[in-house]
Amino acid sequence: VCSLSRKAEGVGRPGDDLDLFCVPNHYVEDLEKVFIPHGLILDRTEKLARDVMGDMGGHHIVALRVLKAGYTFFADLLDYVKALSRNSDRFFKSYCNDQSTGAVKVLGGDNLSTLAGKNILIVEDIIDFGKTMQIFLSLVQQHNPKMVEVASLLVKRTPRSIGYRLDFDGFEIPDKFVIGYALDCNEYFRDLNHVCVISETGKAKYKSEAESPG
């Protein structure tokens, strides 16, 4: 039996050349390197799903996604969790209108009043300073949930961090501007499968495009 740690994997590797991966041609000049390949992301996400099941798999769970950028990690993590729940003696379900949906219930921010007494999994794409997550946790706690745990794909090492520690974290990364796997720069790069470091050319191009009139 493999023992899986919930501690984030550090990404100390310098990254890989773009020509080793399938990268859309229109992004090649805008990327510095591939930082975390898609296959490695999926492998780590599956391990995080096992950690979630180990802690929360015996309960009915409501999953919340914080920001738009986290939708790919959110979907992949919950797909793994649901697959694990089907192959175990524990069930990962939530309830909607008093009937089991057989899946995780996803709520918008305007439905937080329904969280009372529920077991909540908050899913985020990246934790930078930790301040936003602390504010959101405070908001959720106001509605008296039974349990709240947080999962994030990336945790950034930065001196500006307020020291927030989450429950399930995928990769610990340096303080760099990363995009891909739904992380964006002014709405670009969401379609990129890998987590990549954007180049200075890319930063300048997409910042200027976003600021241009019309």
Side-chain angles (χ1 to χ4, degrees):
V1 178
C2 178
S3 176
L4 299 174
S5 171
R6 66 174 51 187
K7 179 178 174 58
E9 293 184 356
V11 181
R13 58 208 298 275
D16 297 301
D17 292 339
L18 298 178
D19 57 8
L20 297 176
F21 300 91
C22 293
V23 175
N25 289 333
H26 57 279
Y27 285 150
V28 169
E29 293 183 357
D30 309 319
L31 304 175
E32 184 178 311
K33 56 192 174 183
V34 172
F35 201 49
I36 310 176
H38 187 234
L40 187 57
I41 294 170
L42 294 182
D43 180 66
R44 181 60 179 164
T45 301
E46 183 178 9
K47 292 179 181 179
L48 288 177
R50 293 181 183 275
D51 286 341
V52 170
M53 283 293 293
D55 264 21
M56 307 181 74
H59 306 280
H60 303 305
I61 298 172
V62 175
L64 299 178
R65 174 166 55 88
V66 181
L67 297 173
K68 179 168 61 174
Y71 68 83
T72 303
F73 173 57
F74 182 87
D76 287 344
L77 177 65
L78 297 191
D79 280 347
Y80 281 123
V81 166
K82 287 184 282 186
L84 288 167
S85 72
R86 289 194 295 268
N87 296 321
S88 74
D89 57 359
R90 291 170 295 179
F91 293 93
F92 192 93
K93 297 182 180 180
S94 65
Y95 287 82
C96 182
N97 297 326
D98 298 325
Q99 294 185 355
S100 173
T101 63
V104 176
K105 183 179 178 183
V106 182
L107 300 177
D110 57 342
N111 292 314
L112 293 182
S113 62
T114 66
L115 300 182
K118 303 291 178 58
N119 299 290
I120 312 302
L121 177 66
I122 299 174
V123 182
E124 177 66 289
D125 56 343
I126 184 168
I127 300 291
D128 286 299
F129 314 139
K131 186 175 181 180
T132 299
M133 182 54 67
Q134 279 199 337
I135 293 171
F136 187 69
L137 276 171
S138 177
L139 177 63
V140 171
Q141 292 287 5
Q142 292 176 19
H143 298 280
N144 301 312
K146 182 178 180 181
M147 175 198 304
V148 182
E149 297 201 346
V150 180
S152 179
L153 176 65
L154 305 175
V155 179
K156 189 172 289 189
R157 296 193 300 267
T158 170
R160 295 167 290 177
S161 170
I162 63 173
Y164 169 73
R165 301 299 299 175
L166 64 162
D167 301 286
F168 310 103
D169 40 14
F171 298 95
E172 187 177 84
I173 65 171
D175 192 5
K176 292 183 178 293
F177 189 168
V178 293
I179 41 80
Y181 195 65
L183 292 162
D184 74 299
C185 176
N186 291 320
E187 299 299 325
Y188 293 92
F189 303 106
R190 292 195 188 278
D191 57 333
L192 189 61
N193 285 335
H194 317 290
V195 171
C196 299
V197 178
I198 192 170
S199 66
E200 293 302 318
T201 299
K203 289 180 189 177
K205 177 195 297 186
Y206 293 107
K207 180 180 178 182
S208 63
E209 283 190 19
E211 293 176 350
S212 61

